[in-house]
Amino acid sequence: MKLGDICVILTNPDESRNIGSACRAMANMGITHLRIIGRRDQYDDEKVRILAIHAAYIWENAEFFDSITEATADCIMAAGTTRRRGKRRKSWLVTPEEFADAVSKAPEGKIAVIFGNERTGLTDEQLEECSIGVNIPSHPDFGSLNLSHAVQIICYTLYRHTATASFKGYVPITLDRLDATTDSIVENLEKIGFFKVTGKAEMKEFWRDVLSRAVLSESEAAYLEKTFTKAAGLAGKNHSEAEN
């Protein structure tokens, strides 16, 4: 899946400002292809731009259609987002994560994600034009999401599935790597005369216990090693200068 293959379709949105907010949400996740069921002259260009901020280019390049069927004619998959279930609202609905997983395995081609009107959502007839239904889990007491929030959640989920290879996030070091860090700390403490006769083993055990609970990342482990190595080097330099 390529982010450039994702098309966000807004179905007859009421608020021009919501279009702008949706544009910004899309841009945050690198998705820029917007299609709208409706006419451009129905919306206030200035209000769209105020909320879109630096993502107004998505609005400028938006395409307009008369129906979902027309807007998705060149797509290999059309996913309609809905919070409501029912006999005529698809036999099953998938979560955003399940949808993103399915999209990542789909053959090359455009993928449409359709969002309904702010007040009514997608009608039964509109959802029938979609090939799959996506439901964003929310609390039953207040399940309706703001349009741009729904766009953000779906786009974020799709982005994370495509960016996994380049976005590593936080990866804790292994215990084997942790041993190397504790060895470095203890060896540098030894260089500055921290241990007289005993205490080295206990100090190593102390540092390993503390650092294992901290669940260090590679950069944090490397920074600790660098700190103690530099401290030992400065201590040695100061000792030499004092003797001279």
PDB file of all heavy atoms in Angstrom, residues 153-190:
ATOM      1  N   ILE A 153      -8.238   9.545  12.604  1.00  0.00           N
ATOM      2  CA  ILE A 153      -8.020   8.193  13.133  1.00  0.00           C
ATOM      3  C   ILE A 153      -7.739   7.205  12.005  1.00  0.00           C
ATOM      4  O   ILE A 153      -6.802   6.405  12.068  1.00  0.00           O
ATOM      5  CB  ILE A 153      -9.230   7.739  13.970  1.00  0.00           C
ATOM      6  CG1 ILE A 153      -9.291   8.538  15.274  1.00  0.00           C
ATOM      7  CG2 ILE A 153      -9.150   6.240  14.277  1.00  0.00           C
ATOM      8  CD1 ILE A 153     -10.571   8.330  16.066  1.00  0.00           C
ATOM      9  N   ILE A 154      -8.553   7.255  10.964  1.00  0.00           N
ATOM     10  CA  ILE A 154      -8.369   6.330   9.851  1.00  0.00           C
ATOM     11  C   ILE A 154      -7.047   6.600   9.132  1.00  0.00           C
ATOM     12  O   ILE A 154      -6.285   5.670   8.822  1.00  0.00           O
ATOM     13  CB  ILE A 154      -9.537   6.416   8.848  1.00  0.00           C
ATOM     14  CG1 ILE A 154     -10.853   5.993   9.515  1.00  0.00           C
ATOM     15  CG2 ILE A 154      -9.252   5.551   7.627  1.00  0.00           C
ATOM     16  CD1 ILE A 154     -10.909   4.550   9.945  1.00  0.00           C
ATOM     17  N   CYS A 155      -6.762   7.858   8.868  1.00  0.00           N
ATOM     18  CA  CYS A 155      -5.525   8.201   8.160  1.00  0.00           C
ATOM     19  C   CYS A 155      -4.295   7.839   8.991  1.00  0.00           C
ATOM     20  O   CYS A 155      -3.291   7.364   8.458  1.00  0.00           O
ATOM     21  CB  CYS A 155      -5.506   9.691   7.811  1.00  0.00           C
ATOM     22  SG  CYS A 155      -6.666  10.161   6.504  1.00  0.00           S
ATOM     23  N   TYR A 156      -4.382   8.055  10.286  1.00  0.00           N
ATOM     24  CA  TYR A 156      -3.266   7.700  11.173  1.00  0.00           C
ATOM     25  C   TYR A 156      -3.009   6.201  11.133  1.00  0.00           C
ATOM     26  O   TYR A 156      -1.858   5.747  11.044  1.00  0.00           O
ATOM     27  CB  TYR A 156      -3.578   8.138  12.601  1.00  0.00           C
ATOM     28  CG  TYR A 156      -2.618   7.580  13.632  1.00  0.00           C
ATOM     29  CD1 TYR A 156      -1.352   8.125  13.796  1.00  0.00           C
ATOM     30  CD2 TYR A 156      -2.976   6.498  14.429  1.00  0.00           C
ATOM     31  CE1 TYR A 156      -0.462   7.610  14.736  1.00  0.00           C
ATOM     32  CE2 TYR A 156      -2.103   5.977  15.362  1.00  0.00           C
ATOM     33  CZ  TYR A 156      -0.851   6.537  15.517  1.00  0.00           C
ATOM     34  OH  TYR A 156       0.024   6.014  16.438  1.00  0.00           O
ATOM     35  N   THR A 157      -4.075   5.412  11.204  1.00  0.00           N
ATOM     36  CA  THR A 157      -3.936   3.964  11.196  1.00  0.00           C
ATOM     37  C   THR A 157      -3.320   3.476   9.892  1.00  0.00           C
ATOM     38  O   THR A 157      -2.442   2.606   9.882  1.00  0.00           O
ATOM     39  CB  THR A 157      -5.300   3.286  11.404  1.00  0.00           C
ATOM     40  OG1 THR A 157      -5.925   3.824  12.581  1.00  0.00           O
ATOM     41  CG2 THR A 157      -5.137   1.790  11.593  1.00  0.00           C
ATOM     42  N   LEU A 158      -3.759   4.049   8.780  1.00  0.00           N
ATOM     43  CA  LEU A 158      -3.187   3.690   7.482  1.00  0.00           C
ATOM     44  C   LEU A 158      -1.718   4.110   7.406  1.00  0.00           C
ATOM     45  O   LEU A 158      -0.870   3.370   6.894  1.00  0.00           O
ATOM     46  CB  LEU A 158      -3.980   4.349   6.350  1.00  0.00           C
ATOM     47  CG  LEU A 158      -5.395   3.814   6.130  1.00  0.00           C
ATOM     48  CD1 LEU A 158      -6.171   4.724   5.190  1.00  0.00           C
ATOM     49  CD2 LEU A 158      -5.354   2.394   5.575  1.00  0.00           C
ATOM     50  N   TYR A 159      -1.420   5.290   7.925  1.00  0.00           N
ATOM     51  CA  TYR A 159      -0.045   5.789   7.908  1.00  0.00           C
ATOM     52  C   TYR A 159       0.885   4.872   8.685  1.00  0.00           C
ATOM     53  O   TYR A 159       1.986   4.552   8.231  1.00  0.00           O
ATOM     54  CB  TYR A 159      -0.003   7.202   8.494  1.00  0.00           C
ATOM     55  CG  TYR A 159       1.398   7.723   8.693  1.00  0.00           C
ATOM     56  CD1 TYR A 159       2.160   8.151   7.613  1.00  0.00           C
ATOM     57  CD2 TYR A 159       1.967   7.781   9.967  1.00  0.00           C
ATOM     58  CE1 TYR A 159       3.449   8.617   7.785  1.00  0.00           C
ATOM     59  CE2 TYR A 159       3.254   8.242  10.146  1.00  0.00           C
ATOM     60  CZ  TYR A 159       3.992   8.665   9.060  1.00  0.00           C
ATOM     61  OH  TYR A 159       5.269   9.110   9.232  1.00  0.00           O
ATOM     62  N   ARG A 160       0.444   4.448   9.868  1.00  0.00           N
ATOM     63  CA  ARG A 160       1.283   3.580  10.690  1.00  0.00           C
ATOM     64  C   ARG A 160       1.575   2.257   9.993  1.00  0.00           C
ATOM     65  O   ARG A 160       2.667   1.695  10.135  1.00  0.00           O
ATOM     66  CB  ARG A 160       0.619   3.306  12.042  1.00  0.00           C
ATOM     67  CG  ARG A 160       0.669   4.465  13.030  1.00  0.00           C
ATOM     68  CD  ARG A 160       2.092   4.945  13.291  1.00  0.00           C
ATOM     69  NE  ARG A 160       2.980   3.859  13.668  1.00  0.00           N
ATOM     70  CZ  ARG A 160       3.171   3.449  14.927  1.00  0.00           C
ATOM     71  NH1 ARG A 160       2.518   4.031  15.909  1.00  0.00           N
ATOM     72  NH2 ARG A 160       4.008   2.470  15.190  1.00  0.00           N
ATOM     73  N   HIS A 161       0.634   1.746   9.223  1.00  0.00           N
ATOM     74  CA  HIS A 161       0.860   0.490   8.515  1.00  0.00           C
ATOM     75  C   HIS A 161       1.865   0.659   7.377  1.00  0.00           C
ATOM     76  O   HIS A 161       2.597  -0.277   7.061  1.00  0.00           O
ATOM     77  CB  HIS A 161      -0.458  -0.062   7.963  1.00  0.00           C
ATOM     78  CG  HIS A 161      -1.159  -0.980   8.908  1.00  0.00           C
ATOM     79  ND1 HIS A 161      -1.694  -0.554  10.109  1.00  0.00           N
ATOM     80  CD2 HIS A 161      -1.386  -2.323   8.853  1.00  0.00           C
ATOM     81  CE1 HIS A 161      -2.234  -1.597  10.733  1.00  0.00           C
ATOM     82  NE2 HIS A 161      -2.060  -2.663  10.006  1.00  0.00           N
ATOM     83  N   THR A 162       1.910   1.828   6.773  1.00  0.00           N
ATOM     84  CA  THR A 162       2.856   2.042   5.675  1.00  0.00           C
ATOM     85  C   THR A 162       4.204   2.518   6.178  1.00  0.00           C
ATOM     86  O   THR A 162       5.215   2.317   5.520  1.00  0.00           O
ATOM     87  CB  THR A 162       2.327   3.094   4.677  1.00  0.00           C
ATOM     88  OG1 THR A 162       2.149   4.346   5.355  1.00  0.00           O
ATOM     89  CG2 THR A 162       1.006   2.655   4.085  1.00  0.00           C
ATOM     90  N   ALA A 163       4.242   3.140   7.354  1.00  0.00           N
ATOM     91  CA  ALA A 163       5.476   3.741   7.861  1.00  0.00           C
ATOM     92  C   ALA A 163       6.230   2.830   8.818  1.00  0.00           C
ATOM     93  O   ALA A 163       7.248   3.224   9.366  1.00  0.00           O
ATOM     94  CB  ALA A 163       5.155   5.061   8.577  1.00  0.00           C
ATOM     95  N   THR A 164       5.771   1.603   9.009  1.00  0.00           N
ATOM     96  CA  THR A 164       6.393   0.706   9.980  1.00  0.00           C
ATOM     97  C   THR A 164       7.883   0.529   9.730  1.00  0.00           C
ATOM     98  O   THR A 164       8.685   0.524  10.668  1.00  0.00           O
ATOM     99  CB  THR A 164       5.711  -0.683   9.953  1.00  0.00           C
ATOM    100  OG1 THR A 164       4.334  -0.513  10.277  1.00  0.00           O
ATOM    101  CG2 THR A 164       6.348  -1.615  10.960  1.00  0.00           C
ATOM    102  N   ALA A 165       8.251   0.406   8.462  1.00  0.00           N
ATOM    103  CA  ALA A 165       9.659   0.147   8.155  1.00  0.00           C
ATOM    104  C   ALA A 165      10.562   1.318   8.492  1.00  0.00           C
ATOM    105  O   ALA A 165      11.700   1.135   8.914  1.00  0.00           O
ATOM    106  CB  ALA A 165       9.808  -0.207   6.674  1.00  0.00           C
ATOM    107  N   SER A 166      10.060   2.543   8.330  1.00  0.00           N
ATOM    108  CA  SER A 166      10.889   3.724   8.564  1.00  0.00           C
ATOM    109  C   SER A 166      10.683   4.333   9.940  1.00  0.00           C
ATOM    110  O   SER A 166      11.522   5.076  10.434  1.00  0.00           O
ATOM    111  CB  SER A 166      10.590   4.789   7.495  1.00  0.00           C
ATOM    112  OG  SER A 166       9.230   5.155   7.539  1.00  0.00           O
ATOM    113  N   PHE A 167       9.551   4.002  10.587  1.00  0.00           N
ATOM    114  CA  PHE A 167       9.274   4.561  11.898  1.00  0.00           C
ATOM    115  C   PHE A 167       9.500   3.488  12.951  1.00  0.00           C
ATOM    116  O   PHE A 167       8.694   2.585  13.109  1.00  0.00           O
ATOM    117  CB  PHE A 167       7.826   5.063  11.981  1.00  0.00           C
ATOM    118  CG  PHE A 167       7.471   5.665  13.328  1.00  0.00           C
ATOM    119  CD1 PHE A 167       7.887   6.944  13.653  1.00  0.00           C
ATOM    120  CD2 PHE A 167       6.728   4.944  14.252  1.00  0.00           C
ATOM    121  CE1 PHE A 167       7.568   7.503  14.882  1.00  0.00           C
ATOM    122  CE2 PHE A 167       6.406   5.496  15.485  1.00  0.00           C
ATOM    123  CZ  PHE A 167       6.825   6.772  15.794  1.00  0.00           C
ATOM    124  N   LYS A 168      10.618   3.557  13.638  1.00  0.00           N
ATOM    125  CA  LYS A 168      10.975   2.505  14.569  1.00  0.00           C
ATOM    126  C   LYS A 168      10.378   2.703  15.958  1.00  0.00           C
ATOM    127  O   LYS A 168      10.219   1.760  16.716  1.00  0.00           O
ATOM    128  CB  LYS A 168      12.503   2.424  14.679  1.00  0.00           C
ATOM    129  CG  LYS A 168      13.165   2.033  13.360  1.00  0.00           C
ATOM    130  CD  LYS A 168      14.656   1.938  13.518  1.00  0.00           C
ATOM    131  CE  LYS A 168      15.321   1.545  12.204  1.00  0.00           C
ATOM    132  NZ  LYS A 168      16.779   1.454  12.310  1.00  0.00           N
ATOM    133  N   GLY A 169      10.067   3.959  16.286  1.00  0.00           N
ATOM    134  CA  GLY A 169       9.497   4.194  17.602  1.00  0.00           C
ATOM    135  C   GLY A 169      10.484   3.847  18.696  1.00  0.00           C
ATOM    136  O   GLY A 169      11.702   3.937  18.545  1.00  0.00           O
ATOM    137  N   TYR A 170       9.998   3.389  19.847  1.00  0.00           N
ATOM    138  CA  TYR A 170      10.832   3.066  20.991  1.00  0.00           C
ATOM    139  C   TYR A 170      11.075   1.566  21.037  1.00  0.00           C
ATOM    140  O   TYR A 170      10.140   0.779  21.147  1.00  0.00           O
ATOM    141  CB  TYR A 170      10.135   3.517  22.279  1.00  0.00           C
ATOM    142  CG  TYR A 170      10.897   3.151  23.534  1.00  0.00           C
ATOM    143  CD1 TYR A 170      11.934   3.950  23.982  1.00  0.00           C
ATOM    144  CD2 TYR A 170      10.564   2.006  24.253  1.00  0.00           C
ATOM    145  CE1 TYR A 170      12.633   3.618  25.125  1.00  0.00           C
ATOM    146  CE2 TYR A 170      11.257   1.665  25.398  1.00  0.00           C
ATOM    147  CZ  TYR A 170      12.297   2.473  25.832  1.00  0.00           C
ATOM    148  OH  TYR A 170      12.987   2.132  26.963  1.00  0.00           O
ATOM    149  N   VAL A 171      12.333   1.170  20.933  1.00  0.00           N
ATOM    150  CA  VAL A 171      12.686  -0.253  20.968  1.00  0.00           C
ATOM    151  C   VAL A 171      13.627  -0.490  22.133  1.00  0.00           C
ATOM    152  O   VAL A 171      14.778  -0.027  22.122  1.00  0.00           O
ATOM    153  CB  VAL A 171      13.362  -0.697  19.657  1.00  0.00           C
ATOM    154  CG1 VAL A 171      13.715  -2.177  19.729  1.00  0.00           C
ATOM    155  CG2 VAL A 171      12.460  -0.399  18.475  1.00  0.00           C
ATOM    156  N   PRO A 172      13.190  -1.197  23.184  1.00  0.00           N
ATOM    157  CA  PRO A 172      14.050  -1.461  24.334  1.00  0.00           C
ATOM    158  C   PRO A 172      15.237  -2.336  23.943  1.00  0.00           C
ATOM    159  O   PRO A 172      15.131  -3.191  23.063  1.00  0.00           O
ATOM    160  CB  PRO A 172      13.120  -2.201  25.306  1.00  0.00           C
ATOM    161  CG  PRO A 172      11.743  -1.907  24.846  1.00  0.00           C
ATOM    162  CD  PRO A 172      11.845  -1.748  23.365  1.00  0.00           C
ATOM    163  N   ILE A 173      16.367  -2.152  24.615  1.00  0.00           N
ATOM    164  CA  ILE A 173      17.533  -2.988  24.357  1.00  0.00           C
ATOM    165  C   ILE A 173      17.341  -4.354  25.003  1.00  0.00           C
ATOM    166  O   ILE A 173      16.548  -4.518  25.929  1.00  0.00           O
ATOM    167  CB  ILE A 173      18.830  -2.333  24.890  1.00  0.00           C
ATOM    168  CG1 ILE A 173      18.752  -2.118  26.417  1.00  0.00           C
ATOM    169  CG2 ILE A 173      19.110  -1.034  24.169  1.00  0.00           C
ATOM    170  CD1 ILE A 173      20.061  -1.646  27.019  1.00  0.00           C
ATOM    171  N   THR A 174      18.086  -5.325  24.515  1.00  0.00           N
ATOM    172  CA  THR A 174      18.019  -6.670  25.074  1.00  0.00           C
ATOM    173  C   THR A 174      18.829  -6.730  26.369  1.00  0.00           C
ATOM    174  O   THR A 174      19.662  -5.845  26.651  1.00  0.00           O
ATOM    175  CB  THR A 174      18.587  -7.699  24.084  1.00  0.00           C
ATOM    176  OG1 THR A 174      19.981  -7.404  23.865  1.00  0.00           O
ATOM    177  CG2 THR A 174      17.840  -7.642  22.757  1.00  0.00           C
ATOM    178  N   LEU A 175      18.624  -7.792  27.135  1.00  0.00           N
ATOM    179  CA  LEU A 175      19.372  -7.958  28.383  1.00  0.00           C
ATOM    180  C   LEU A 175      20.855  -8.158  28.097  1.00  0.00           C
ATOM    181  O   LEU A 175      21.713  -7.728  28.888  1.00  0.00           O
ATOM    182  CB  LEU A 175      18.818  -9.146  29.170  1.00  0.00           C
ATOM    183  CG  LEU A 175      17.402  -8.957  29.725  1.00  0.00           C
ATOM    184  CD1 LEU A 175      16.939 -10.229  30.428  1.00  0.00           C
ATOM    185  CD2 LEU A 175      17.352  -7.769  30.684  1.00  0.00           C
ATOM    186  N   ASP A 176      21.170  -8.779  26.976  1.00  0.00           N
ATOM    187  CA  ASP A 176      22.568  -8.951  26.592  1.00  0.00           C
ATOM    188  C   ASP A 176      23.219  -7.595  26.347  1.00  0.00           C
ATOM    189  O   ASP A 176      24.352  -7.348  26.760  1.00  0.00           O
ATOM    190  CB  ASP A 176      22.646  -9.820  25.334  1.00  0.00           C
ATOM    191  CG  ASP A 176      24.084 -10.108  24.931  1.00  0.00           C
ATOM    192  OD1 ASP A 176      24.816 -10.691  25.758  1.00  0.00           O
ATOM    193  OD2 ASP A 176      24.469  -9.763  23.794  1.00  0.00           O
ATOM    194  N   ARG A 177      22.479  -6.709  25.679  1.00  0.00           N
ATOM    195  CA  ARG A 177      22.991  -5.352  25.430  1.00  0.00           C
ATOM    196  C   ARG A 177      23.088  -4.581  26.742  1.00  0.00           C
ATOM    197  O   ARG A 177      24.012  -3.777  26.933  1.00  0.00           O
ATOM    198  CB  ARG A 177      22.039  -4.638  24.456  1.00  0.00           C
ATOM    199  CG  ARG A 177      22.401  -3.172  24.181  1.00  0.00           C
ATOM    200  CD  ARG A 177      23.697  -3.060  23.409  1.00  0.00           C
ATOM    201  NE  ARG A 177      24.035  -1.670  23.166  1.00  0.00           N
ATOM    202  CZ  ARG A 177      24.675  -0.890  24.032  1.00  0.00           C
ATOM    203  NH1 ARG A 177      25.070  -1.379  25.208  1.00  0.00           N
ATOM    204  NH2 ARG A 177      24.953   0.367  23.725  1.00  0.00           N
ATOM    205  N   LEU A 178      22.166  -4.830  27.658  1.00  0.00           N
ATOM    206  CA  LEU A 178      22.187  -4.175  28.967  1.00  0.00           C
ATOM    207  C   LEU A 178      23.440  -4.560  29.752  1.00  0.00           C
ATOM    208  O   LEU A 178      24.037  -3.731  30.454  1.00  0.00           O
ATOM    209  CB  LEU A 178      20.936  -4.548  29.759  1.00  0.00           C
ATOM    210  CG  LEU A 178      20.807  -3.932  31.155  1.00  0.00           C
ATOM    211  CD1 LEU A 178      20.681  -2.417  31.054  1.00  0.00           C
ATOM    212  CD2 LEU A 178      19.605  -4.514  31.881  1.00  0.00           C
ATOM    213  N   ASP A 179      23.852  -5.831  29.633  1.00  0.00           N
ATOM    214  CA  ASP A 179      25.071  -6.280  30.317  1.00  0.00           C
ATOM    215  C   ASP A 179      26.278  -5.491  29.836  1.00  0.00           C
ATOM    216  O   ASP A 179      27.177  -5.160  30.625  1.00  0.00           O
ATOM    217  CB  ASP A 179      25.296  -7.774  30.065  1.00  0.00           C
ATOM    218  CG  ASP A 179      24.362  -8.646  30.894  1.00  0.00           C
ATOM    219  OD1 ASP A 179      23.897  -8.176  31.955  1.00  0.00           O
ATOM    220  OD2 ASP A 179      24.101  -9.796  30.478  1.00  0.00           O
ATOM    221  N   ALA A 180      26.321  -5.183  28.557  1.00  0.00           N
ATOM    222  CA  ALA A 180      27.442  -4.411  28.006  1.00  0.00           C
ATOM    223  C   ALA A 180      27.470  -3.008  28.603  1.00  0.00           C
ATOM    224  O   ALA A 180      28.542  -2.453  28.889  1.00  0.00           O
ATOM    225  CB  ALA A 180      27.320  -4.336  26.485  1.00  0.00           C
ATOM    226  N   THR A 181      26.279  -2.437  28.819  1.00  0.00           N
ATOM    227  CA  THR A 181      26.204  -1.096  29.409  1.00  0.00           C
ATOM    228  C   THR A 181      26.659  -1.113  30.867  1.00  0.00           C
ATOM    229  O   THR A 181      27.423  -0.245  31.299  1.00  0.00           O
ATOM    230  CB  THR A 181      24.765  -0.562  29.331  1.00  0.00           C
ATOM    231  OG1 THR A 181      24.373  -0.456  27.956  1.00  0.00           O
ATOM    232  CG2 THR A 181      24.651   0.813  29.972  1.00  0.00           C
ATOM    233  N   THR A 182      26.190  -2.092  31.626  1.00  0.00           N
ATOM    234  CA  THR A 182      26.594  -2.166  33.045  1.00  0.00           C
ATOM    235  C   THR A 182      28.091  -2.439  33.156  1.00  0.00           C
ATOM    236  O   THR A 182      28.767  -1.898  34.043  1.00  0.00           O
ATOM    237  CB  THR A 182      25.793  -3.249  33.784  1.00  0.00           C
ATOM    238  OG1 THR A 182      25.910  -4.502  33.101  1.00  0.00           O
ATOM    239  CG2 THR A 182      24.327  -2.876  33.856  1.00  0.00           C
ATOM    240  N   ASP A 183      28.636  -3.269  32.253  1.00  0.00           N
ATOM    241  CA  ASP A 183      30.082  -3.525  32.256  1.00  0.00           C
ATOM    242  C   ASP A 183      30.848  -2.240  32.017  1.00  0.00           C
ATOM    243  O   ASP A 183      31.860  -1.954  32.683  1.00  0.00           O
ATOM    244  CB  ASP A 183      30.444  -4.540  31.161  1.00  0.00           C
ATOM    245  CG  ASP A 183      30.066  -5.961  31.529  1.00  0.00           C
ATOM    246  OD1 ASP A 183      29.856  -6.222  32.737  1.00  0.00           O
ATOM    247  OD2 ASP A 183      29.962  -6.796  30.612  1.00  0.00           O
ATOM    248  N   SER A 184      30.364  -1.434  31.073  1.00  0.00           N
ATOM    249  CA  SER A 184      31.026  -0.173  30.753  1.00  0.00           C
ATOM    250  C   SER A 184      31.007   0.779  31.940  1.00  0.00           C
ATOM    251  O   SER A 184      32.021   1.421  32.261  1.00  0.00           O
ATOM    252  CB  SER A 184      30.333   0.480  29.554  1.00  0.00           C
ATOM    253  OG  SER A 184      30.890   1.744  29.272  1.00  0.00           O
ATOM    254  N   ILE A 185      29.857   0.856  32.608  1.00  0.00           N
ATOM    255  CA  ILE A 185      29.735   1.738  33.777  1.00  0.00           C
ATOM    256  C   ILE A 185      30.689   1.315  34.881  1.00  0.00           C
ATOM    257  O   ILE A 185      31.445   2.129  35.439  1.00  0.00           O
ATOM    258  CB  ILE A 185      28.277   1.734  34.299  1.00  0.00           C
ATOM    259  CG1 ILE A 185      27.359   2.433  33.293  1.00  0.00           C
ATOM    260  CG2 ILE A 185      28.188   2.416  35.665  1.00  0.00           C
ATOM    261  CD1 ILE A 185      25.881   2.324  33.642  1.00  0.00           C
ATOM    262  N   VAL A 186      30.686   0.035  35.203  1.00  0.00           N
ATOM    263  CA  VAL A 186      31.515  -0.473  36.294  1.00  0.00           C
ATOM    264  C   VAL A 186      33.005  -0.355  35.976  1.00  0.00           C
ATOM    265  O   VAL A 186      33.817   0.018  36.836  1.00  0.00           O
ATOM    266  CB  VAL A 186      31.140  -1.941  36.607  1.00  0.00           C
ATOM    267  CG1 VAL A 186      32.122  -2.542  37.614  1.00  0.00           C
ATOM    268  CG2 VAL A 186      29.729  -2.020  37.163  1.00  0.00           C
ATOM    269  N   GLU A 187      33.392  -0.634  34.731  1.00  0.00           N
ATOM    270  CA  GLU A 187      34.798  -0.521  34.344  1.00  0.00           C
ATOM    271  C   GLU A 187      35.296   0.911  34.443  1.00  0.00           C
ATOM    272  O   GLU A 187      36.449   1.161  34.859  1.00  0.00           O
ATOM    273  CB  GLU A 187      34.972  -1.054  32.915  1.00  0.00           C
ATOM    274  CG  GLU A 187      34.860  -2.564  32.807  1.00  0.00           C
ATOM    275  CD  GLU A 187      34.774  -3.037  31.374  1.00  0.00           C
ATOM    276  OE1 GLU A 187      34.916  -2.179  30.464  1.00  0.00           O
ATOM    277  OE2 GLU A 187      34.542  -4.245  31.154  1.00  0.00           O
ATOM    278  N   ASN A 188      34.456   1.852  34.067  1.00  0.00           N
ATOM    279  CA  ASN A 188      34.860   3.254  34.164  1.00  0.00           C
ATOM    280  C   ASN A 188      34.911   3.723  35.607  1.00  0.00           C
ATOM    281  O   ASN A 188      35.766   4.554  35.968  1.00  0.00           O
ATOM    282  CB  ASN A 188      33.894   4.128  33.353  1.00  0.00           C
ATOM    283  CG  ASN A 188      34.203   4.100  31.868  1.00  0.00           C
ATOM    284  OD1 ASN A 188      35.292   4.474  31.443  1.00  0.00           O
ATOM    285  ND2 ASN A 188      33.252   3.631  31.072  1.00  0.00           N
ATOM    286  N   LEU A 189      34.020   3.218  36.450  1.00  0.00           N
ATOM    287  CA  LEU A 189      34.085   3.537  37.877  1.00  0.00           C
ATOM    288  C   LEU A 189      35.381   2.980  38.483  1.00  0.00           C
ATOM    289  O   LEU A 189      36.006   3.614  39.342  1.00  0.00           O
ATOM    290  CB  LEU A 189      32.870   2.962  38.610  1.00  0.00           C
ATOM    291  CG  LEU A 189      31.529   3.660  38.363  1.00  0.00           C
ATOM    292  CD1 LEU A 189      30.390   2.888  39.020  1.00  0.00           C
ATOM    293  CD2 LEU A 189      31.552   5.095  38.899  1.00  0.00           C
ATOM    294  N   GLU A 190      35.771   1.804  37.999  1.00  0.00           N
ATOM    295  CA  GLU A 190      37.005   1.189  38.493  1.00  0.00           C
ATOM    296  C   GLU A 190      38.222   2.020  38.098  1.00  0.00           C
ATOM    297  O   GLU A 190      39.188   2.158  38.870  1.00  0.00           O
ATOM    298  CB  GLU A 190      37.130  -0.227  37.947  1.00  0.00           C
ATOM    299  CG  GLU A 190      38.279  -1.024  38.542  1.00  0.00           C
ATOM    300  CD  GLU A 190      38.280  -2.456  38.074  1.00  0.00           C
ATOM    301  OE1 GLU A 190      37.765  -2.729  36.973  1.00  0.00           O
ATOM    302  OE2 GLU A 190      38.788  -3.323  38.822  1.00  0.00           O
TER     303      GLU A 190
END
